Amino acid sequence: MSHVIGIDLGTTYSCVAVFTNGQAQVIPNKTGYKTTPSIVAVTESGRRLVGQMAKRQAITNARHTVYATKRLIGRKWSSPQVVRAIETCTYEIVRGPHDDVRVKARGKMYSVPEVAGMVLQEMKIVAEEFLGEEITEAVITVPAYFNDSQRQATKDAGRIAGMDVLRIINEPTAAALAYGFGKDLDRTLAVYDLGGGTFDISILTMKNGVFDVLASGGDSFLGGEDFDARIIEHLAFGFAREHSVDLRHDTMALQRLKDAAEKAKCELSEANQTDINLPFIFTGEGNEALHLQTELTREQLEDLCIDLVERTFRICSQVLEDAGLGRTEIDDVVLVGGQTRMPLVQRSAESFFSRTPKKDVHPDEVVALGAAIQAASLSGKTAEVLLLDITPHSLGIMVFGGGFEVIIERNTTVPTEASRIFTTVKDNQTSVKILVLQGESDRAEDNDLLGEFVFEGLRPAPAGEVELEVTFSISADGIVSVSARDLETGKAKSITVTATTGLTEDEIQKMIEENRDYLLDIRHSEEVEAKRAAIRRTIREVEKLLPVVKEFLLSSNLGSDTLAKATKLLKNAKQDIDTKDVAELGRDDEALQRTLSVFQGIAQRMA
Ligand code: AMP
């Protein structure tokens, strides 16, 4: 049975891990790094680049390099987060056919799950090359605060990447699992997870191998990217004051600012001051080169970002209240996510919880490790671990007058389900429409609409006579489903779901096929290139030995046949080199290789 991998699909970086020989381990990519940038680019020739290769060319190909799509996944076109992303992004964000978000690169429109799928596929390939086997199943992590649409879209991304997603698990829960797995701990834990794009806080208990989440909260649009944005604003403002030019309107300059901002931010986690040098960042009106040269101190950075950090701790207070615990009742504080390396975050966490956060977890790797443990548990490769997770959002329906009636409260352990009886309100009404939403506002319109569920085929009867039992379920993945039963006949009722931003099954299938074809195409091109390179090498070597061999064969009167054959093979190989037929290229190379070994034998005898 092949391995099931665990993938932490991060906003800025992704990480893949596997459980082997009794423990979880992170798998390094080809370049030896344990994390891979969650970046996809399309080059001028239409080639897709993912990870480090995409990051490396981001400045020169900024318009067609797509990053941080996790901030867009499962969101509606009109949501405020998408509006904010459009303002600051260097790539093109466009409206999709389901009022969803799509990105455009080299004239082609891609759905967000498709782009996330390309990153997941890269992680799959990293694991396949390391393990030497095909990977078909995975556990993927998401921020605990992700809603149903975001979870569903992440699951779709996994399918587009060619994997069965056995389970979607929450990042802080995965981190807790990696922290506590195999240890006999009885602790109450706070996992504070501040990554590139999202913030989560989960409070959970660990005892006898049971991980029980008491409460979760977060903000799925708050992370390292926002810290970078503050630095970008600061730098752009300083530059505008000096040169009256807003660098953010120039795609390449903005991409360079973005890279410099992140670099400066990371350096200021170690140093108190750093220089920012961006020569030739802009060409002024008189064609003169303008440079950005400045310095940034840790204190300035902290002033720029303090409100972002404070926002995370306001959420922590709410989540502690939801869990019914005081700050001092937390035994261990675990910091997860690259942004928690910032000293301000660490100091604030220590002061908020009145204890030093645990240093023995790797903030970039712990989530993938937890996913790999869960993957092993689900596939029977290790003892079952019991994760009792919760839904972070209340689930409910719109009621008369635009109100929101909660059906499943937030922080309820999943899987869970709840039923409600609905009756017809008009005579001869044959269908019922229910608007299902997630959120905490009393007003339906302020919450996230998951879908409109229309139940059809009811018996025409006077108002109030037909009763329909509707069951709302939330799976262990945190994904919502709705089913209905006609109470009179006991029969299940058909449901039509509308108003979701998700992809249709047909679209997903098409994307799966396109992705598979693209990969096959790339693999084929790589194979062709490798074969061509091998033939060129063989041709060179045969041609190098040809004069010596010719001299020997002619002088010994043995040669005309062998020489004619060799000349013919060389001619064939040169003629065929442009073919894409791997088998033909292989045949040419093999035939030439045989000639080469004869030539080498002769050359040796002559030496
Ligand atoms: P993650 O999503 O967990 O991979 O976190 C990525 C975020 O962590 C990015 O915004 C990085 O810029 C940020 N990050 C990584 N290393 C550091 C560091 N040394 N100091 C501050 N932020 C960092």
Side-chain angles (χ1 to χ4, degrees), residues 11-13 195-196 224-225 262 265-266 269 337-339 341-342 364:
T11 308
T12 34
Y13 291 93
E225 294 267 334
E262 190 191 3
K265 176 188 75 175
C266 294
S269 291
Q339 192 57 47
R341 291 208 180 86
M342 186 184 195
D364 299 332

